[in-house]
Amino acid sequence: MSTVTCDLTVSVDGFLAGPNQTPENPLGEGGEELHRWQFEEPAANAKELEGILSAGAYIMGRNMFAGPGTGPWDTDWRGWWGEEPPYHAPVFVLTHHPRAPLKMEGGTTFYFVEDGIEPALAQARDAAAGKDAAIAGGAQTARQYLQAGLIDELRLHISPLLLGAGERLLDGVRNLKLEPTEVSGTPLVTHIRYRCGLGS
């Protein structure tokens, strides 16, 4: 069975996005600063960047695909990721509203799953064909999978920023056991790999 991974960039105070997220500013105030390491130090962080995009399938929440908002889909909206998203693999989007699959350039197809996190994971594992299945985010989606004990490896990329407010990763998560297995970093980020499980 494929490993379930989760790569997330967070601030030192645990936020994946800053406050006041909007369709024009999906990462909230200060949120884009979290990801400087990916663009300003790509060579130094090549291993981690390769790991993020090495999965055979991905799962994300509606907000990560489409930004803040609920209700039926605007079918003209094709996501934040442009016409050629970086995944180049199937992506399963958690939602409460039906939508037909959305095929993009470069091998990414978004599938919209209405029946919960476990059916989405089953579909992702099947589509991954032996490769890892990755929980791409955002915070609410990652929390649900962590709380359910469905993530095998959590890879946190910690940016030396304090956002103070926004979307925090671990709020409300209980009974989670994390075993650090690797630590590395650069001036813009500290990478920590955790083996995940549920506490006794």
Side-chain angles (χ1 to χ4, degrees), residues 72-158:
W73 290 99
D74 174 0
T75 53
D76 290 334
W77 176 251
R78 295 172 62 82
W80 295 118
W81 304 98
E83 287 301 310
E84 187 173 350
Y87 301 102
H88 308 294
V91 179
F92 297 87
V93 180
L94 300 173
T95 181
H96 295 295
H97 298 278
R99 182 171 181 174
L102 182 59
K103 187 173 183 178
M104 311 295 281
E105 295 177 13
T108 299
T109 299
F110 292 102
Y111 298 92
F112 300 88
V113 182
E114 300 170 67
D115 46 358
I117 63 171
E118 293 192 23
L121 181 55
Q123 292 179 57
R125 276 185 155 147
D126 185 58
K131 291 186 176 182
D132 291 347
I135 310 303
Q140 181 178 356
T141 296
R143 281 196 297 268
Q144 290 181 72
Y145 281 99
L146 287 167
Q147 186 68 66
L150 295 173
I151 293 176
D152 300 309
E153 184 174 78
L154 176 64
R155 305 166 184 167
L156 288 185
H157 311 288
I158 304 170

Side-chain angles (χ1 to χ4, degrees), residues 23-72:
E24 295 74 32
N25 190 14
L27 292 176
E29 295 171 7
E32 289 190 8
E33 291 291 304
L34 293 172
H35 299 277
R36 287 177 55 201
W37 67 275
Q38 297 185 32
F39 305 103
E40 297 180 26
E41 298 177 329
N45 295 291
K47 175 185 172 183
E48 288 73 24
L49 290 170
E50 182 180 353
I52 291 171
L53 295 175
S54 66
Y58 297 83
I59 297 170
M60 67 175 59
R62 175 176 173 142
N63 280 5
M64 187 169 177
F65 172 76
T70 58

